[in-house]
Structures are given as structure tokens and as C-alpha cells.
Amino acid sequence: LLVGLVSWVLQYAMSSGNPNKTKNFPLVPFLAGIGVVSAILYYQYQRYGISLFVDRSSFDSSYSASEWHGILSNKTLLLIGGPHRGGTTVLWKALDAHPDISGLGTTPPAEDGSDDAVQRRKCGEGILIQDIYSRRGIGMEHMMKSNKGFQNRMMGLGKYALGKEDQVHLRESNARVTSQNMAKLLNRYNHYWNTSKSVLVEKSPPNAVMSRFLQAIYNEGRAAGDGLQIKFLFMTRHPIANAIAHQNVLRETYDVPFATLMDNYVQIHRYLQEDMPHLRNEPMLIKLEDFASNPNSQVGKIYQWLGVDSSPEIVKDVLENRMQESIRDDPNSKYREQWCKAIDSNDRSWHTSITSKYQPLIDDLQLGYDITDGWCK
């Protein structure tokens, strides 16, 4: 839009010198165009901050690895992961709203150190702003929607976990595990955290397939007994609801077959299941359905696990006031209705093929989800 407006002005300036042409400058359309551009830029600024217009490296800190060891001493670094569209954002909001927790957002905390919870900060994802490891196409879906080569590769939302294992399932043996890369990651994230808080949170759904790598890189070069705890919190969701939620968000970009979405879900949880025994500090896996149906209990349990104030008073204050967002008690209702209506109105053979193939796989993951007709009752 901005380029078009400038081009329009230049064309007018060039034509105005021609004595055979007389025209008035189209002031009203020009101002309307400027208004549209300004509104779009303002919306993006409110959402992403000044870093939208300036390279993120401009905001990087310059601490060394040893300096970061001191900064993080006696703190908890919490890493959240799970399938996309699985509830990790609402989980982040419930954590960021606690007065002793700072979540990595799209904008930095207030410079005066005022309470993050009243700023209505949006959840950021560390994977989207770092340059240490591959994003596997996450966040690039709109840019690549016309690129058939990208669409055919196992990259991006809903299929990234189906790529080559050595590129997706990162572990402690990865060559990127160095103290220099640890410092580089934290120097990038520092701008978006309030490091005076006792718990720092980074939420990226793909953390679920690279938890061992992240545990290793943040532990690199640490001295024993420095007090830092690195914890992992994973959230999952009913696989059919998760797949339909993916379809809804991807419909404006490219089509991902339903079976591919289910395969991606299963593969994420296979990697997670393999990695959980290797994670320290009692990693936690929760279901969105449990979290949403009883948020007071679930949030209090998580706060207690993190070692912050978990009293009923603080939990109530977070959920009713500080979080500034209500949690739906049945987040799957519209997706369940959509799926069950389709079963009743369409040829059941496709749905039967999905359930017969994937119910045993879901059972193997021991998640306790029913994707047969029982989900519709």
C-alpha cells in the first residue's frame, strides 16, 4: 500500500508538468490510503512492538555465558511445549499473570518494572525470534502459501514433526549445544523478560520435540549448586479437536490433509514420550480439557510445582482479575460438534478409517483420549 501511494504521487508529479493535462491532486483518496496504512502499522506495532520495524538483534543483551549463570542463579526457567492449537497460549497467560512469573511476550515488560499483568502483553514464542536452531517453517505459512515446494515439504504448522528426525527431534548430542549459543539465546530473550522475577517462562509448542536439546543448552557450563532449575511443562489436547483447530487456522494458507495433521500429532507425542524420562525436575504433562474444566485446581498445582505463591487467594486473583481473560470450560465443544455432525451427515467410511487407524496409536501414547463415536456422546 505504501509503495503504491508513493508511486501514485510520483505519477501525479510527472504528469502535472504536461501542459496538455490538467488534473487536481486526488487528496481525499490519498489521505484515505495513508490512513489505512497507518492503521495497519499501528495495529502491528501494538501487537509486536518496535521490533517489527527494527532488527531484533538491535535489542540483544551482551552478557557472557558466565554472567548469565549469575543472573539465573536461584531462578526457575520454565519451558512450555505441546502441539500447536493445544492450549499452550492460555497456559502462558495464566503463568504470566502471576506476580512472581515473567513470560516471554511479543513486547518487553514495562521499563518502570510495573506489574506485567496489567499490560495485556501478548504471548511470544522464543522459537520465532531466535536464530540458533531451525524453526522448521513455523510462522512462515502465510509467506509460503503460494510456494508449492514448501507445501510439499514436511515443514510448517501441522506437519513439521514429520520431517527428518535428526532435524526435528533435537537432543543433547546436537552440535549447537554450546555455552556461546546458550548466552546468545538468553541475550535475545532478555529484552522480553523481567529478570527480577523468580520464574522466567518461554513458550514455543515445538519445545515438545526438542526438550532434551533445550535442557542441555541451558545447562551448558553451569556450576553445580547454582540454584537454577530448568523445568518443562507440556500441554496436550484431544487429537480430533487439535486437528480441526489446525484446519481452521490453515484454511487461508494451504491445505494439510487430515491424516497428516493426525500423523503430526502422534509423532510429537512419540518424541515427547521418548524424552520425558531424560528430563529433570519432574516434568509435567497436562491436558487442556483438565486445565479448562478446573482451572483453580490446575493453576494452583502448577504454581506449587514452580515454588511460587499458590494460595487460593492468588489463584483466584490471577484467574478473575490479573489474567484479564476467561477460560472456557469446554474448549473442544465447537470442534466436537463439527466432527460429530459430519459423522451423522456424511459417508461414515472416511471417519471409520480415521478412527480405526489412529485410536490404537492414541492408545499407545497412553493419553486416555477416545476418538471413536464415544467422543460424541
Side-chain angles (χ1 to χ4, degrees):
L1 282 172
L2 190 58
V3 171
L5 288 171
V6 172
S7 175
W8 188 11
V9 172
L10 291 175
Q11 290 178 14
Y12 172 80
M14 293 173 65
S15 64
S16 63
N18 187 338
N20 297 322
K21 293 185 178 180
T22 58
K23 59 171 69 175
N24 294 322
F25 182 73
L27 182 61
V28 173
F30 176 76
L31 292 177
I34 289 292
V36 170
V37 172
S38 300
I40 293 173
L41 293 178
Y42 179 73
Y43 170 78
Q44 297 298 330
Y45 171 77
Q46 290 291 101
R47 186 175 184 183
Y48 299 109
I50 192 64
S51 59
L52 178 70
F53 310 102
V54 180
D55 188 271
R56 291 188 185 275
S57 62
S58 303
F59 303 100
D60 287 0
S61 302
S62 56
Y63 296 115
S64 66
S66 60
E67 288 174 316
W68 269 113
H69 293 150
I71 294 170
L72 296 178
S73 177
N74 298 313
K75 294 186 183 296
T76 296
L77 176 58
L78 176 64
L79 303 172
I80 297 176
H84 286 92
R85 311 296 297 163
T88 54
T89 297
V90 71
L91 176 60
W92 178 93
K93 291 178 180 179
L95 292 168
D96 186 56
H98 191 286
D100 294 329
I101 300 176
S102 177
L104 188 149
T106 56
T107 55
E111 293 183 3
D112 62 2
S114 59
D115 200 334
D116 294 348
V118 300
Q119 299 179 57
R120 300 187 66 85
R121 296 173 68 225
K122 292 184 179 293
C123 175
E125 296 186 0
I127 193 171
L128 300 182
I129 64 173
Q130 56 77 42
D131 49 16
I132 299 299
Y133 48 88
S134 173
R135 292 166 54 173
R136 300 298 303 159
I138 300 298
M140 301 174 64
E141 292 82 7
H142 283 84
M143 296 171 59
M144 307 293 266
K145 66 179 180 180
S146 60
N147 186 321
K148 295 298 182 183
F150 173 80
Q151 294 182 33
N152 293 331
R153 297 171 64 187
M154 291 304 167
M155 298 180 67
L157 204 64
K159 52 183 181 171
Y160 78 92
L162 302 175
K164 294 181 179 180
E165 182 173 0
D166 63 339
Q167 298 175 5
V168 177
H169 188 203
L170 305 186
R171 285 163 280 195
E172 51 276 299
S173 58
N174 193 283
R176 298 182 186 89
V177 177
T178 66
S179 56
Q180 291 80 9
N181 282 339
M182 180 270 286
K184 191 173 182 180
L185 271 177
L186 293 170
N187 282 329
R188 177 63 52 87
Y189 296 164
N190 188 40
H191 181 65
Y192 306 94
W193 272 332
N194 180 346
T195 53
S196 69
K197 303 294 181 74
S198 60
V199 178
L200 305 178
V201 181
E202 190 278 305
K203 189 278 285 189
S204 296
N207 288 349
V209 300
M210 60 178 75
S211 57
R212 287 164 64 181
F213 165 79
L214 294 171
Q215 177 175 257
I217 200 169
Y218 288 121
N219 274 307
E220 186 66 18
R222 279 181 54 202
D226 65 2
L228 170 65
Q229 286 196 84
I230 299 170
K231 292 197 168 192
F232 288 89
L233 176 56
F234 303 105
M235 177 172 274
T236 190
R237 182 184 202 172
H238 192 285
I240 298 296
N242 188 254
I244 298 175
H246 271 82
Q247 284 186 324
N248 289 351
V249 78
L250 286 171
R251 65 174 53 144
E252 300 299 327
T253 53
Y254 53 82
D255 179 56
V256 178
F258 195 87
T260 300
L261 296 172
M262 293 293 289
D263 287 337
N264 189 71
Y265 177 97
V266 169
Q267 192 60 59
I268 289 172
H269 288 84
R270 281 176 173 165
Y271 288 147
L272 179 57
Q273 190 178 61
E274 178 184 335
D275 292 346
M276 286 280 278
H278 298 269
L279 303 179
R280 306 168 195 164
N281 299 316
E282 301 176 336
M284 183 182 292
L285 172 63
I286 59 176
K287 296 180 180 180
L288 173 61
E289 296 81 7
D290 294 339
F291 181 84
S293 64
N294 193 353
N296 290 72
S297 174
Q298 292 288 316
V299 169
K301 178 182 176 182
I302 294 169
Y303 288 168
Q304 184 177 29
W305 173 68
L306 290 172
V308 297
D309 186 355
S310 59
S311 64
E313 293 76 18
I314 191 66
V315 171
K316 181 179 180 181
D317 186 35
V318 164
L319 294 175
E320 296 183 5
N321 303 309
R322 299 171 63 86
M323 189 173 166
Q324 301 182 11
E325 179 177 322
S326 59
I327 298 174
R328 290 174 293 160
D329 60 359
D330 186 2
N332 294 336
S333 59
K334 66 178 181 180
Y335 303 119
R336 183 171 54 250
E337 181 180 0
Q338 184 178 339
W339 174 259
C340 298
K341 278 186 176 179
I343 292 178
D344 294 336
S345 60
N346 297 340
D347 179 6
R348 293 182 61 90
S349 61
W350 180 80
H351 294 83
T352 301
S353 68
I354 291 292
T355 56
S356 62
K357 177 181 178 180
Y358 290 103
Q359 185 64 66
L361 300 179
I362 300 301
D363 291 341
D364 287 345
L365 296 172
Q366 300 179 349
L367 297 175
Y369 285 122
D370 179 10
I371 67 171
T372 65
D373 290 0
W375 192 44
C376 298
K377 296 178 182 178

